[in-house]
Amino acid sequence: MFTIGIDYGTNSVRALVVRCKDGAELGTGVVNYPSGTQGVLLDPKNHNLARQNPADHLFGLEKSIKLALAQAKKVKGFDARQVVGLGVDTTGSSPIPVDATNTPLALNKKWSGNLAAHCWLWKDHTSIKEAAEITALAAKIRPHYIAKCGNTYSSEWFWSKILHCRRTAPAVFKAAYSWVELADWIPSVLAGIKDPKAVKRGVCCAGHKALYAADWGGLPDKEFLAQLDPALADLRDRLYEIAHDATASAGTLCAEWSKKLGLPAGIPIAIGEMDVHYGAIGSGVSEGTLVKIIGTSTCDCGVVSADKTVADIPGICGIVKGAILPGYYGLEAGQSAVGDIFKWFVEGVLGDVKLHAILTAEAAKLKPGQSGLLSLDWNNGNRTVLVDPLLTGLTLGTTLYTTKAEMYRALIEATAFGARAIIERFKEYGVPIDRVVCAGGIAEKNPMLMQIYADVTGCTMLVAGSSQACALGSAISAAVLAGAQPDFATAQKKMTRLKKVSYKPKVGNQKIYNQLYALYRQLHDSFGGVNKSADLSRVMKDLLALKVASSR
Amino acid sequence: MFTIGIDYGTNSVRALVVRCKDGAELGTGVVNYPSGTQGVLLDPKNHNLARQNPADHLFGLEKSIKLALAQAKKVKGFDARQVVGLGVDTTGSSPIPVDATNTPLALNKKWSGNLAAHCWLWKDHTSIKEAAEITALAAKIRPHYIAKCGNTYSSEWFWSKILHCRRTAPAVFKAAYSWVELADWIPSVLAGIKDPKAVKRGVCCAGHKALYAADWGGLPDKEFLAQLDPALADLRDRLYEIAHDATASAGTLCAEWSKKLGLPAGIPIAIGEMDVHYGAIGSGVSEGTLVKIIGTSTCDCGVVSADKTVADIPGICGIVKGAILPGYYGLEAGQSAVGDIFKWFVEGVLGDVKLHAILTAEAAKLKPGQSGLLSLDWNNGNRTVLVDPLLTGLTLGTTLYTTKAEMYRALIEATAFGARAIIERFKEYGVPIDRVVCAGGIAEKNPMLMQIYADVTGCTMLVAGSSQACALGSAISAAVLAGAQPDFATAQKKMTRLKKVSYKPKVGNQKIYNQLYALYRQLHDSFGGVNKSADLSRVMKDLLALKVASSR
């Protein structure tokens, strides 16, 4: 028996055919979105805007699955008739305005030229004002709404985006019968669901992005929404009452798509989750094991048994029951930019993509502290633990001799310090972290970065066995749903693995990084507003002293 | 009548033949120092070290004058027999250990391989510890010694360097009969002086760099020196009792050099001064007119009549009677790196010298505040007003879209903010600044930078008429000494001029730069240790707000 995981990323969609008994990956197909700039619709006048064309999603759905199947068919023993289920993960929160037939407005000629009618990609930051407004209102009248998401509602999330649409593109808002997260919409397409109210919504997006919790009766109440805008209160009736964890099914494969794809009609479709959440499953997340998906940005996922009590953790993006694994609280944290920062420096500033490899080699020769540099990893704001998009990058300690390799390494170290801040925050609030499993291209390809992460955090860094952990996780969810695996724990055991390589902290490096991290925290707390009477007079001097000491 | 000004820079020496009646420049000769890296002896293991080979100084002296004379001889009316005087300026503090015959140790085979036996170039920063020691001792037992140099003795200065030599190269120290500043040594060579005690010392170097003041009996007293090291107290007897302003003569041209150069024997040689001081004269310095010599670093020179009382100004490098113009206090401030910062970023980090022009053009298109960036100009520490070499550069406000042109402009703006901090400090303490005259290649070649300086400081920026203001100032001093001009004021009026171009502050830009300067001061005061309980939580947000406002 086989399942297919379909993983919608920022620039492309990937389908992965997986053997249920052992997680073997038989075929994969990747399709780049044809629209916009690498699949993202941009506004040259507004750097904050990032949208996606739902037509790309449909095009990629069909093509990626066909490519994956074509590859799998070359493997002995594979038979498309033995595909028993489909799973989908996507970026999020990436809501789409849809009409009453569950069709995205952007697919209608009338609206296709309007960026507001497209999918509002996770990294769209146009809604900063609205996020602040929602945070302020919740703090005032519904503090429990935001207590589980670090007391701050983000501009990247569902309600901020919809409220921004209402304010800046009222015609689109009016034309939208409902809004559906991409993670819920793709399964609904496969299931042939034509009514937005019939779309099965995942608690993953609902809980993490839309202030949904069974405890308070689902989505935010109408009184709350009406104070933001009466139209939001009206919209609530056209959204959903209940959101589901991965024990539920999103539907079964409809005749139309069965025919298109050459797959058995009626096979179950797993509830959609966000890419990193299924990625966490595909990387072997469990209680005590933190999964870091390191890409353009980073998501850190952990789980805690739903039988336990989890404290509200300040600055953690979300604590949602059932969001990752059924029966567990799903915990999510993250860094707004990681790979994107290196890309910015190497390609944007230095203007030469070839320098990635050269600088990595040069930076690897440097010892911790040797450059005298210290950077903040805030080029795209800070998601965890400050939850503040209005923060920016900083590099300190430059001299007339500072090299680009030193600056490159300082940026890598900055992201490692950001990672440590997250791990420390989890631990402070009683979430156990015994192991860290990293997934994503950077984890596989950059041993220097991985060693720095180990040295900075003091944790051994393991690497997920699959290079397609998100798609694999989706396929695992489909396998459990289809009964090809008895439960998630067994499925993870059978279907996931680790790479042989691992990175252990080096005591000497840890010592220096502890000192650098203390300086990082000084800058972090001062510019981040945690400490409003900071004495920074020693920062540059301490760095110079470390530089002298570690150059010996 | 003609005089020749000889200007020793960091990488080359220039001679300039000047007509005394109108300052016309008839011939010039430039000689690059043959030794080291662009004339500077470096230690790959110690970035702080910077020395020069006295053999280069002698080689350049003869060759540059001959080149200048050869060019002048092509001008109708010039006759080498009508050269009536010579003037010399050099970098400083650049002391040379000499033997009892006034010969630099480095010219002796026994010592030529020892970097400590060479000329300790102004920008040598090996003596940071010794400077701190001298500062601490003076603060304790002789506070008046450092009250006129910002209460801080610098690692770039005379005693720090000699004490460092004593500590780290005791054999060289022992072999040195005396130490002579390069600005005093070159005139003594031309005058054929073979006894260090007979070398006429200028009050410019003595007062600014060696804690000399007539008020307290010349150089620091033996008790003070002995507490640093008894050997320094012994050395004092082999240095000098009196230092002179530019009314004195350093001697007359000796037969040997008269023959070498083909110039009349016995013509007077002006007292040596530091390059920027004679440069200030050559740029038209007078009471109310600040001269900024903008190069790799910046020197800001002002004068106040010796009849008046000048307060001790915290952070100003020196206030020395007679140092620039006789009859005036000479005031010196400066920025440790200006052109060097741009050079570092463009050549060191970006690795392409051609980008200077490209980035200048792109940066010129940006509006103030538009980049959201803010930098500190401390890549080589901060000379004025913090007097702290242990400070480093910083750039803040980077996003994933920050361009190299924006970073380049932010560095230029940072040096402008540093310039404003100096002007404000002067004004706070009652030194009038009505006009600012800039000299140096950057002032002539970079209109964008000059406009930014005008907009940031609120002062109209004028440009010195001569591209060789330092050599011209030396020639003016020689003209006055030789009686070819009656006094400095008249000589400056006749022999100096301004370029036609000037840069007036633009009100709109000033408004934004006032806000940016306030943020710069927050970082400056916080990292500089002026404010030890800083609230920096608004810095990034205010920059982002300015960015939005100025992008409109």
Side-chain angles (χ1 to χ4, degrees), chain B residues 150-161:
Chain B
N151 287 315
T152 311
Y153 195 76
S154 166
S155 65
E156 293 185 358
W157 298 348
F158 193 75
W159 293 110
S160 301
K161 284 169 169 167

Side-chain angles (χ1 to χ4, degrees), chain A residues 39-266:
Chain A
V40 182
L41 309 177
L42 302 173
D43 178 353
K45 285 185 209 149
N46 185 355
H47 276 150
N48 286 322
L49 189 143
R51 307 281 154 85
Q52 265 178 351
N53 187 345
D56 290 357
H57 298 137
L58 293 177
F59 169 77
L61 180 62
E62 182 175 347
K63 192 166 171 193
S64 65
I65 292 177
K66 283 183 171 169
L67 286 169
L69 285 170
Q71 205 176 74
K73 279 171 189 163
K74 295 176 191 161
V75 180
K76 202 182 156 189
F78 175 77
D79 182 343
R81 286 169 299 181
Q82 286 177 31
V83 172
V84 297
L86 302 171
V88 175
D89 68 81
T90 75
T91 66
S93 174
S94 299
I96 307 172
V98 297
D99 65 17
T101 70
N102 197 32
T103 304
L105 295 184
L107 299 184
N108 181 328
K109 266 188 194 163
K110 186 178 167 192
W111 297 109
S112 60
N114 191 321
L115 285 170
H118 287 257
C119 175
W120 292 52
L121 192 60
W122 67 277
K123 67 176 179 178
D124 186 287
H125 283 131
T126 51
S127 318
I128 290 175
K129 267 192 196 166
E130 289 78 8
E133 197 178 330
I134 295 168
T135 299
L137 182 65
K140 201 170 144 199
I141 66 170
R142 300 284 188 278
H144 52 289
Y145 280 1
I146 53 173
K148 298 274 183 212
C149 60
N151 287 315
T152 311
Y153 195 75
S154 165
S155 66
E156 293 185 0
W157 298 350
F158 193 73
W159 293 110
S160 302
K161 284 170 169 167
I162 296 175
L163 185 54
H164 188 71
C165 178
R166 161 80 181 145
R167 297 264 166 83
T168 60
V172 170
F173 181 87
K174 202 177 163 201
Y177 175 80
S178 188
W179 289 71
V180 185
E181 282 282 352
L182 179 60
D184 297 326
W185 187 69
I186 299 294
S188 79
V189 167
L190 289 169
I193 295 169
K194 306 291 185 193
D195 170 7
K197 289 206 68 177
V199 173
K200 284 281 185 71
R201 314 284 185 136
V203 75
C204 170
C205 290
H208 279 290
K209 309 300 183 188
L211 299 176
Y212 173 97
D215 293 353
W216 55 71
L219 291 172
D221 62 63
K222 284 188 153 191
E223 189 191 332
F224 176 82
L225 294 174
Q227 287 203 29
L228 295 169
D229 193 304
L232 287 193
D234 292 345
L235 174 66
R236 189 184 191 280
D237 293 331
R238 307 191 305 273
L239 292 168
Y240 51 94
E241 291 299 319
I242 296 170
H244 305 272
D245 69 16
T247 54
S249 164
T252 55
L253 188 63
C254 68
E256 182 195 347
W257 278 87
S258 159
K259 203 176 153 192
K260 251 186 215 172
L261 301 172
L263 291 173

Side-chain angles (χ1 to χ4, degrees), chain A residues 344 379 388 393 395 397-398 402 534 541, chain B residues 344 388 393 395 397-398 402 534 541:
Chain A
W344 159 72
N379 289 49
D388 188 346
T395 290
T398 48
T402 299
K541 294 175 203 322
Chain B
W344 158 72
D388 189 345
T395 291
T398 47
T402 299
K541 293 175 203 323

Side-chain angles (χ1 to χ4, degrees), chain B residues 243-260:
Chain B
H244 304 270
D245 69 18
T247 54
S249 165
T252 56
L253 190 63
C254 69
E256 182 194 348
W257 277 88
S258 159
K259 201 173 154 195
K260 251 185 215 174

Side-chain angles (χ1 to χ4, degrees), chain B residues 92-137:
Chain B
S93 173
S94 299
I96 307 171
V98 297
D99 66 18
T101 71
N102 197 31
T103 305
L105 295 183
L107 299 184
N108 182 326
K109 265 188 195 163
K110 187 178 167 193
W111 298 109
S112 60
N114 191 323
L115 284 172
H118 287 258
C119 174
W120 293 51
L121 191 60
W122 67 278
K123 67 177 180 177
D124 186 289
H125 284 130
T126 52
S127 317
I128 289 175
K129 268 191 197 167
E130 289 79 8
E133 200 178 328
I134 294 168
T135 299
L137 182 65

Side-chain angles (χ1 to χ4, degrees), chain A residues 47 337 340-341 344-345 348-351 376 378-380 388 390-404 407 523 526-529 531-537 539-541 544, chain B residues 47 337 340-341 344-345 348-351 376 378-380 388-402 404 407 523 526-529 531-537 539-541 544:
Chain A
H47 276 150
D340 268 351
I341 296 183
W344 159 72
F345 183 64
V349 176
L350 301 177
L376 287 175
W378 297 351
N379 289 49
N380 195 23
D388 188 346
L390 293 179
L391 294 173
T392 49
L394 175 155
T395 290
L396 177 155
T398 48
T399 70
L400 296 173
Y401 304 98
T402 299
T403 67
K404 49 183 172 285
M407 294 171 88
L523 298 184
S526 177
F527 287 104
N531 177 2
K532 295 195 178 179
S533 60
D535 177 5
L536 298 178
S537 61
V539 175
M540 290 173 178
K541 294 175 203 322
L544 287 171
Chain B
H47 276 150
D340 268 352
I341 297 182
W344 158 72
F345 182 65
V349 176
L350 301 177
L376 287 174
W378 298 351
N379 289 49
N380 196 24
D388 189 345
L390 293 178
L391 294 173
T392 49
L394 175 156
T395 291
L396 177 156
T398 47
T399 69
L400 297 174
Y401 304 98
T402 299
K404 49 183 172 286
M407 294 170 87
L523 298 183
S526 177
F527 287 104
N531 177 3
K532 295 195 177 180
S533 61
D535 177 4
L536 299 179
S537 60
V539 174
M540 291 173 177
K541 293 175 203 323
L544 288 171

